Amino acid sequence: MAAFKTLVLGGYGNFGARICRALVSDKATRHDMALLVAGRHASQAKALADALGHGAQGVALDHQAPGLAATLREWGVGLVIHTAGPFQAQAYNVAQAAAEAGAHYIDLADGRRFVCDFPAAMQAAFSAAGRTAVAGASTVPALSSAVIDHLCAGWQRIDSIDICIAPAQRAPRGQATLAAVLSYCGLPIDVWDGGRWQPHSGWARPSPVQFHRLSPRLGAVCDIPDLEIFPAHYQARDRVTFRAALEVGLAQRAFATLATLRRWGLLQHPEKLAWLMHHAGGALDFLGTPLGGMVVRVAGADAQGQPRRRAWHVAADNDHGPEIPCMAAILLARQLAAGQPLPTGAHTSTSLLPLEAFAPEFAKWGMVTDVVEE
């Protein structure tokens, strides 16, 4: 039987390279998978592929160039994993090309519109192709929904969901990720709060967030798919919030300042500062640590109708935090390579994976999880 050929677009980037390393490891231990490391620069793709070994190939591929579907078909690609963000300003051309080539598709998109509109936009193409497409196969909403499903199993209702991601200051940062978060800095974000939709300004007015194994941090509202998906998916009565809490308070306040400048009309496009901030951010590393994490807090009524408040925490040391956004895509790719069925058509990653599926990945990187009754 021919090897399952997987192409990782943006394969030598911050997240793509991690996925490639995991899938090459799988080739040696689990599945017969042929890996293509793809990106605009052939030399970088080939360098990583050579370092990975196990038959990995580096290929030059511009996902915005015409003829993408024909190229994927010619190479016999069975799965495209799209990591070449930022996704906020992208259309669905990569997914469309994958469908036309008869390939499955997974992306790590965190853009709210990109992920939330994906099922309706791509359902017909992937249903016709008999293939699976998953948008947002990353920390949110794949892991976040897995955590909520676990914490609230059997509950009669969910009143509130509060999520906060806390990256380590010294963890590797991707310029595309930084551009994505800067793109909505200072813009109004629709948040389900007080049982109705209310505008909150992105990265503005940071407030304290408590963690189980991390020191308290300031967290600010960010725009992610969960904010739109979860109020309906979980019938959350009161609120669904998402914050990011940078380790160094000075950096968090810098984002809040940019948000203020944008609201005042003095800074139209903060994302244009991504290159500068990406290269200058290391100047604050001496104030940080290699410890990052995440918390998901839920409140509601359990199976007996009793009020409950629970929290799930993960702590990632040794700058391993950036492995977490890659886990869902790796797990889904393994399922496809092993011939395990995933629902045909186009979907978000919401509730596609159970929390226990992530446990071996957390253990692999020495990450510690806690469930706390609050």
Side-chain angles (χ1 to χ4, degrees), residues 20 23-25 27-28 33-35 37 46-57:
C20 286
L23 297 182
V24 158
S25 173
K27 179 178 174 62
M33 181 185 290
L35 180 66
V37 181
K46 187 176 185 305
L48 178 60
D50 289 347
L52 292 172
H54 296 289
Q57 293 180 268

Side-chain angles (χ1 to χ4, degrees), residues 15-246:
F15 296 134
R18 288 177 163 81
I19 292 172
C20 286
R21 292 188 193 102
L23 297 182
V24 158
S25 173
D26 285 353
K27 179 178 174 62
T29 59
R30 287 187 181 88
H31 312 303
D32 189 14
M33 181 185 290
L35 180 66
L36 298 180
V37 181
R40 287 191 178 93
H41 304 289
S43 59
Q44 291 178 258
K46 187 176 185 305
L48 178 60
D50 289 347
L52 292 172
H54 296 289
Q57 293 180 268
V59 295
L61 187 66
D62 183 349
H63 67 84
Q64 296 177 328
L68 180 58
T71 300
L72 296 175
R73 194 180 300 111
E74 179 186 345
W75 290 348
V77 173
L79 167 64
V80 175
I81 302 179
H82 184 7
T83 75
F87 290 88
Q88 276 75 359
Q90 286 193 36
Y92 299 130
N93 62 300
V94 177
Q96 183 65 45
E100 291 176 10
H104 300 288
Y105 169 90
I106 297 170
D107 68 47
L108 271 66
D110 59 355
R112 182 166 173 171
R113 290 271 51 83
F114 187 100
V115 176
C116 293
D117 296 343
F118 184 84
M122 299 307 304
Q123 176 66 22
F126 280 94
S127 292
R131 296 292 184 266
T132 297
V134 181
S138 191
T139 310
V140 292
L143 174 57
S144 53
S145 61
V147 170
I148 296 165
D149 293 341
H150 176 78
L151 291 178
C152 302
W155 281 21
Q156 292 183 8
R157 72 168 192 271
I158 297 176
D159 294 332
S160 62
I161 299 169
D162 299 292
I163 306 167
C164 185
I165 290 178
Q169 170 64 29
R170 286 160 38 182
R173 295 172 289 270
Q175 184 175 327
T177 302
L178 188 54
V181 300
L182 284 170
S183 68
Y184 56 79
C185 185
L187 292 181
I189 298 169
D190 283 337
V191 176
W192 185 251
D193 189 8
R196 60 190 179 94
W197 292 104
Q198 300 191 52
H200 289 230
S201 184
W203 287 98
R205 294 184 292 277
S207 57
V209 181
Q210 303 295 320
F211 300 90
H212 190 62
R213 297 176 185 266
L214 282 68
S215 299
R217 299 186 183 186
L218 294 174
V221 173
C222 293
D223 195 20
I224 62 162
D226 299 29
L227 293 178
E228 186 166 328
I229 295 171
F230 287 2
H233 184 75
Y234 292 110
Q235 295 294 298
R237 301 206 311 181
D238 183 35
R239 71 175 182 273
V240 175
T241 67
F242 180 90
R243 290 180 171 84
L246 305 182

Side-chain angles (χ1 to χ4, degrees), residues 349-374:
S349 63
T350 308
S351 296
L352 274 184
L353 291 164
L355 183 58
E356 55 265 27
F358 291 87
E361 297 302 303
F362 293 143
K364 175 182 176 181
W365 297 104
M367 298 176 187
V368 182
T369 63
D370 300 279
V371 173
V372 179
E373 302 289 339
E374 297 189 330

